[in-house]
Amino acid sequence: MTPDPDATEAHTTGPRDTAPPHTAPPDTAPPLTGLRVLDLATLFAGPIAAMMLGDFGAEVIKVEHPARPDPARGHGPAKNGVGLWWKLLGRNKRAVTLDLSRPGGRATLLRLAATADVIVENFRPGTLERWELGWPELSAANPRLVLARVTGFGQFGPYASRPGFGTLAEAMSGFAAITGEPDAPPTLPPFGLADSIAGLATAYAVLTALAARERTGRGQIVDMAIIEPILTVLGPQPLWYDQLGYVQPRTGNRTQNNAPRNTYRTADGTWVAVSASAQSVAERVLRLVGRPELTTEPWFATGSGRAAHADLLDEAVGGWIARHTRTEVMAAFEKAQAAIAPIQDVRDVVADPQYQALGTLTTLFDPELGRMRMQNVLFRLSDTPGAIRWAGRPHGADTEAVLAELGLTPEEVAALRAEGVL
């Protein structure tokens, strides 16, 4: 595994580092140790996939244009001129610059590809082919290579050549159409929802292709269209439409599947979310708020029946919550074993004892910005846990080291610089 490039403290002790009794020794190698990934992608879906692979031990080499780095470096707030989003997105990646459109860049990438297991890219279809870096050339350099192609609309079809971003997927998939109040415009999320879902799906797809390689000995292409994974997580909308002609409307915080399900304001001006998907939970909630007679109504016996009476149920639940502080509400619901959660912003998340217990946020040391806190690896493995070894590196920080490991001489590196490749 590639060590921390600065040989400095990378991952500080936290709850997730304290192994429960059944786990293996702390020096057990992460599960993807020995896997090499070339991240050629920009912005979010592809780089998120590569980040997730790196979190569990893969060596990830981030390849960026020498003059046009990943735009994610400049997205969102910065500290001392350093983009903070990049520190998250670029973690566990070595940073290399390479202009793939130049002959020297093409040749260098093919040399890198020969040593890699996975390439993640998000150029518009035909771009790699124009640079003579398409699947025929890459698979010739390395028949075991998995090429993950992440684009807005996929590699074929009438929209394939269009520029594609997560926002377009959120609009096209039906997500925006069902999000928001019934009498308000469709609502887009204020973060990269579709990109993040596609990143998760791409990491899964890459591991699936690698599993197939164990049987066949050959790599293959992963074609990931950002418009598809978000449609999958939206549930049975196409099935409902196909079988019933039903088009799900916007219902705000409510759902047509069950009730009570909404956000409610407490007496001290905070908000909580209540969900009563299960019949038993719905009964507990109504008994708690002093309306047990509603649980005997025939319509209360099904989720759709309760949803049809959401006004009545919201009045009962919301009225009770409005007369109590959040502390009182949370304590009463917990005692009644009824499902509730506070509406939290990031300040609350950082202080939340459950997140603290899980180690969901972790602290690490960054050579540019010092100690910083960010989301930990996505899940816990009992025997081979993942880890954040370092945060996002400066643009091109590891170019010379990676090329030297590839066998390029100082003279060859200088020639590439003279050509404008690095």
Side-chain angles (χ1 to χ4, degrees):
M1 179 188 301
T2 303
D4 183 338
D6 288 296
T8 57
E9 174 192 11
H11 187 229
T12 61
T13 301
R16 201 170 287 191
D17 302 307
T18 304
H22 66 282
T23 62
D27 61 350
T28 300
L32 301 183
T33 299
L35 194 73
R36 173 173 270 201
V37 179
L38 306 183
D39 177 6
L40 313 186
T42 57
L43 292 173
F44 303 112
I48 286 172
M51 179 194 78
M52 293 185 64
L53 298 173
D55 283 352
F56 286 89
E59 178 196 5
V60 181
I61 298 174
K62 175 72 176 183
V63 179
E64 299 173 86
H65 192 280
R68 297 187 298 277
D70 189 331
R73 290 182 178 272
H75 273 51
K79 180 181 178 182
N80 299 336
V82 178
L84 296 176
W85 203 337
W86 172 253
K87 289 297 179 182
L88 174 68
L89 192 65
R91 70 190 192 189
N92 292 334
K93 300 178 184 180
R94 304 171 79 191
V96 168
T97 58
L98 205 59
D99 185 345
L100 304 182
S101 68
R102 296 176 181 267
R106 174 187 181 276
T108 305
L109 183 72
L110 288 175
R111 290 181 67 168
L112 278 170
T115 71
D117 298 281
V118 179
I119 290 180
V120 181
E121 64 96 2
N122 72 334
F123 298 104
R124 286 200 214 178
T127 301
L128 285 182
E129 287 74 11
R130 189 169 67 251
W131 296 334
E132 297 182 10
L133 287 170
W135 181 241
E137 292 84 5
L138 292 172
S139 61
N142 183 355
R144 291 175 55 82
L145 185 69
V146 170
L147 175 62
R149 316 197 75 169
V150 187
T151 57
F153 305 104
Q155 294 296 309
F156 56 91
Y159 303 162
S161 62
R162 294 182 182 178
F165 298 99
T167 298
L168 308 187
E170 291 146 10
M172 284 183 59
S173 63
F175 172 84
I178 64 170
T179 304
E181 295 298 327
D183 56 352
T187 300
L188 295 168
F191 66 100
L193 176 63
D195 275 305
S196 298
I197 296 171
L200 292 167
T202 301
Y204 164 58
V206 164
L207 294 178
T208 302
L210 290 172
R213 189 180 73 175
E214 291 300 304
R215 294 199 326 272
T216 67
R218 302 187 307 276
Q220 60 183 300
I221 298 172
V222 171
D223 180 5
M224 179 62 66
I226 297 173
I227 61 172
E228 291 184 301
I230 189 171
L231 178 58
T232 296
V233 303
L234 283 174
Q237 288 190 49
L239 181 60
W240 286 338
Y241 177 71
D242 176 70
Q243 295 296 302
L244 302 173
Y246 173 73
V247 178
Q248 184 174 342
R250 286 193 295 283
T251 55
N253 291 323
R254 292 178 175 178
T255 170
Q256 295 190 325
N257 301 321
N258 64 80
R261 193 262 198 183
N262 213 327
T263 59
Y264 305 95
R265 190 180 180 92
T266 65
D268 52 351
T270 62
W271 292 85
V272 295
V274 173
S275 176
S277 299
Q279 177 74 18
S280 59
V281 173
E283 292 173 359
R284 290 182 207 132
V285 170
L286 269 296
R287 286 196 294 266
L288 168 63
V289 303
R291 299 296 300 274
E293 76 281 1
L294 295 178
T295 65
T296 64
E297 295 287 346
W299 50 262
F300 197 88
T302 66
S304 58
R306 296 194 302 274
H309 294 79
D311 287 342
L312 176 60
L313 295 174
D314 275 346
E315 180 183 357
V317 176
W320 185 90
I321 288 175
R323 296 191 298 272
H324 298 81
T325 67
R326 186 170 81 172
T327 299
E328 293 169 340
V329 170
M330 296 297 297
F333 267 73
E334 184 172 352
K335 183 177 180 180
Q337 298 185 37
I340 192 170
I343 303 295
Q344 300 190 150
D345 64 20
V346 67
R347 295 168 294 187
D348 304 309
V349 169
V350 168
D352 187 279
Q354 183 62 30
Y355 282 130
Q356 291 178 354
L358 293 173
T360 306
L361 300 176
T362 191
T363 302
L364 60 149
F365 178 82
D366 177 69
E368 289 186 287
L369 299 179
R371 298 177 73 85
M372 59 176 55
R373 186 161 40 186
M374 66 174 63
Q375 296 96 320
N376 211 331
V377 299
L378 187 60
F379 49 86
R380 290 164 291 281
L381 295 180
S382 64
D383 292 346
T384 56
I388 302 170
R389 302 182 296 283
W390 60 82
R393 303 270 291 148
H395 182 227
D398 305 293
T399 300
E400 280 78 6
V402 170
L403 295 184
E405 293 167 10
L406 198 59
L408 272 70
T409 66
E411 292 75 19
E412 289 175 310
V413 173
L416 289 174
R417 288 204 179 279
E419 186 187 338
V421 169
L422 306 180

